Amino acid sequence: MSNQEQKLSRRILLRGAGVAMSLPLLESLPVWGAPLRSTQKDPVTPPKRFVVQFMGTGISPNNWGAKGEGAQMELAKSLAPLEPFKTKLNVISGLFNKPSTGVGIHPGMTGGILSGASLSRGAVLHGGVSMDQVLAQRLGQETAQPSLVLSCEKPLTGYHESNFSMAYSSFISWQDADSPVPSEVYPSLAFDSLFDNNGNQRMESVLDRVSDEAASLRRKISREDRSKLDEYLNSVREVEKRAQKMRGELSKAADNARGKGKPLVAMKRPDDGLPEDLRDHMRLMCDIVALAIQTDKTRIASMLMCRDLSGLFYPFLNVNDGHHIASHSDNSEGYERITRHYITQLAYLAGKLDAMPEGQGTVLDNTCILWLSNMYSGSVHDNSHLPILTVGGMGGTLKTGRVLNFRDKGEENRKVCSLYLSLMDNMGVKLDRFGDATTRLAGI
């Protein structure tokens, strides 16, 4: 048996016909490769996790920012949804990705956002490995799934007027210099990946298939762990119901596309089987990430909430224009509501993780959610500095409750790749350099 197989074999799994369900940390059982708590002087130390959320084409500049620190931090209008997390939040301004400046708007600003690599124009893709995938490559053997890569919008094809491939606008996670990581846009398929749910029983309830093992496990664990297990199974049930509904919509869309002689990818939402209401789509994707992180299915996740040059629409926000066009009026009331909508998704995911007890704190305390966009202002396509947030303490390695401004620190001291080096250090992955940076970000 390989090292990875030995580690994974010691995890607590509920198994049923064609399905395997990972469980959250249950401290009365040997889990995640650790011995029983009763044989240790100290509780099991939970792992650290890293999640990225990305919003394309910038934020609403006049409604962005913060001042103060900790519980007294004052948040600008667009950041108001993060009010409950001020002590676990960092608002970072002034960092930039130099290789993406001065190369042309949109794709050239996006494809290297997590790698700091210079991108090639023309037919051949070439950039760099994104930092989430560096972590996945170094730490992925510790979990069943090295990383989870999700998107709430389908990718673009073709080329931009700047002669960069639209693939650079469509993917933030890159497994090597030439290839993005395929992202899952369908919630039902993302849900299946959490539970290895395959085969002809895929339409049947995951929970029903593991119910016998769940009942047996429940008799062996402590009262506190029974409560945690019940809460987790209830969460899975709620997510499963929503995913199954979307599975049915995907199946009907696939049949419809075949009937019209078109590939599914060419169909428009909701005829492509994606939820018409973005709120349903984004919340379900956040729930899936939360389950994956809680159960240690993976420790690395990226979420492209909307791509660069996004074509998403927001009728529920009373905005008539699509995302990209709306960003050209980025200080309008409509685009402020769009920006706040995306910060609401960040707050929702943070709230899910913060409601999950783990060790001496919560899952959020052991996680860092990095939120960013590829530019600050869409109206002038300004990426000379980027809007960046972090939520969560990454196992106590990341100081929080701060407003950090690097705008006047000089180019060498405000590289976004220096932030990435610092965050990777906190995850236990230490590199001499990453992208265009060889030093860590001061004060992070």
Side-chain angles (χ1 to χ4, degrees):
M1 184 181 289
S2 70
N3 244 3
Q4 182 181 12
E5 288 171 333
Q6 288 175 347
K7 288 175 181 176
L8 297 181
S9 70
R10 293 198 296 267
R11 298 177 189 279
I12 298 299
L13 296 173
L14 299 181
R15 296 188 182 276
V19 69
M21 178 181 289
S22 300
L23 296 179
L25 175 65
L26 302 176
E27 296 188 54
S28 57
L29 287 176
V31 70
W32 296 351
L36 283 169
R37 180 173 180 173
S38 59
T39 66
Q40 300 185 155
K41 292 182 180 179
D42 299 313
V44 173
T45 301
K48 299 168 191 169
R49 292 78 157 218
F50 177 74
V51 179
V52 181
Q53 276 194 350
F54 174 84
M55 167 192 173
T57 69
I59 46 84
S60 181
N62 288 352
N63 299 287
W64 189 267
K67 59 183 179 180
E69 61 181 24
Q72 282 69 52
M73 189 184 296
E74 296 178 25
L75 301 175
K77 185 177 181 180
S78 292
L79 298 182
L82 295 172
E83 187 75 22
F85 305 102
K86 290 190 294 188
T87 61
K88 301 186 180 186
L89 170 69
N90 287 323
V91 180
I92 304 173
S93 61
L95 300 185
F96 81 134
N97 184 24
K98 186 172 183 178
S100 72
T101 60
V103 299
I105 59 176
H106 292 299
M109 295 176 164
T110 311
I113 189 69
L114 291 180
S115 69
S118 297
L119 307 178
S120 294
R121 288 180 165 89
V124 179
L125 294 175
H126 191 78
V129 182
S130 55
M131 59 92 68
D132 63 311
Q133 292 307 301
V134 171
L135 292 173
Q137 291 166 9
R138 300 293 186 94
L139 305 175
Q141 72 277 3
E142 301 290 333
T143 55
Q145 196 167 319
S147 69
L148 184 62
V149 179
L150 304 181
S151 176
C152 293
E153 187 172 14
K154 291 185 298 186
L156 289 165
T157 58
Y159 294 89
H160 188 256
E161 61 191 32
S162 59
N163 200 27
F164 283 110
S165 169
M166 290 295 196
Y168 292 130
S169 281
S170 303
F171 299 95
I172 58 171
S173 292
W174 291 74
Q175 57 196 347
D176 56 44
D178 308 320
S179 306
V181 181
S183 57
E184 184 53 69
V185 70
Y186 287 99
S188 60
L189 300 182
F191 178 84
D192 288 343
S193 74
L194 296 188
F195 305 108
D196 302 326
N197 186 25
N198 298 297
N200 57 12
Q201 291 182 294
R202 195 158 53 94
M203 297 297 290
E204 298 178 17
S205 169
V206 166
L207 283 174
D208 290 348
R209 282 180 277 161
V210 300
S211 59
D212 289 344
E213 285 208 0
S216 175
L217 175 64
R218 203 173 181 280
R219 293 191 290 269
K220 300 174 184 176
I221 56 180
S222 68
R223 180 181 304 171
E224 291 81 4
D225 279 349
R226 282 199 297 273
S227 176
K228 183 184 289 188
L229 176 63
D230 291 345
E231 187 170 338
Y232 166 69
L233 294 178
N234 286 336
S235 294
V236 173
R237 176 75 74 185
E238 190 267 337
V239 173
E240 182 179 52
K241 286 179 180 177
R242 289 151 58 210
Q244 288 287 42
K245 179 185 176 189
M246 292 184 189
R247 190 193 308 284
E249 292 169 352
L250 173 58
S251 179
K252 286 186 288 186
D255 290 341
N256 188 34
R258 281 192 294 270
K260 294 183 176 181
K262 291 184 177 181
L264 188 61
V265 70
M267 306 289 280
K268 293 185 177 180
R269 185 190 297 257
D271 291 338
D272 57 1
L274 292 173
E276 187 169 15
D277 192 325
L278 296 178
R279 293 170 294 185
D280 295 339
H281 194 177
M282 292 179 179
R283 288 292 175 93
L284 187 48
M285 289 304 214
C286 287
D287 288 335
I288 288 168
V289 168
L291 290 176
I293 293 297
Q294 180 189 24
T295 59
D296 208 37
K297 180 74 175 185
T298 189
R299 297 173 188 172
I300 314 297
S302 69
M303 306 180 69
L304 189 144
M305 306 304 286
C306 73
R307 54 171 164 73
D308 176 50
L309 290 165
S310 174
L312 296 181
F313 283 86
Y314 309 92
F316 53 88
L317 297 176
N318 197 28
V319 177
N320 294 324
D321 289 329
H323 186 110
H324 175 215
I325 298 302
S327 73
H328 290 170
S329 302
D330 53 10
N331 282 316
S332 66
E333 290 185 8
Y335 198 71
E336 190 286 317
R337 291 195 294 273
I338 291 174
T339 301
R340 193 158 17 108
H341 167 75
Y342 282 90
I343 299 303
T344 298
Q345 309 317 306
L346 170 61
Y348 178 77
L349 177 58
K352 294 288 292 188
L353 298 180
D354 209 31
M356 298 170 175
E358 184 177 70
Q360 303 303 301
T362 70
V363 173
L364 181 63
D365 294 328
N366 298 309
T367 302
C368 171
I369 309 173
L370 172 69
W371 190 100
L372 77 170
S373 185
N374 57 326
M375 59 184 84
Y376 193 78
S377 171
S379 61
V380 292
H381 300 99
D382 176 18
N383 69 338
S384 63
H385 56 105
L386 302 173
I388 296 175
L389 308 167
T390 71
V391 186
M394 210 178 237
T397 62
L398 181 60
K399 186 179 176 183
T400 57
R402 298 181 293 167
V403 177
L404 303 172
N405 188 351
F406 294 88
R407 293 190 191 188
D408 60 352
K409 303 300 182 184
E411 284 194 1
E412 286 302 309
N413 301 309
R414 63 184 195 92
K415 294 178 177 179
V416 71
C417 285
S418 292
L419 170 64
Y420 299 158
L421 280 172
S422 296
L423 295 177
M424 287 190 283
D425 279 355
N426 293 348
M427 289 289 290
V429 174
K430 298 185 183 297
L431 305 178
D432 292 334
R433 68 174 300 130
F434 184 74
D436 64 340
T438 57
T439 58
R440 276 62 183 163
L441 190 63
I444 195 65

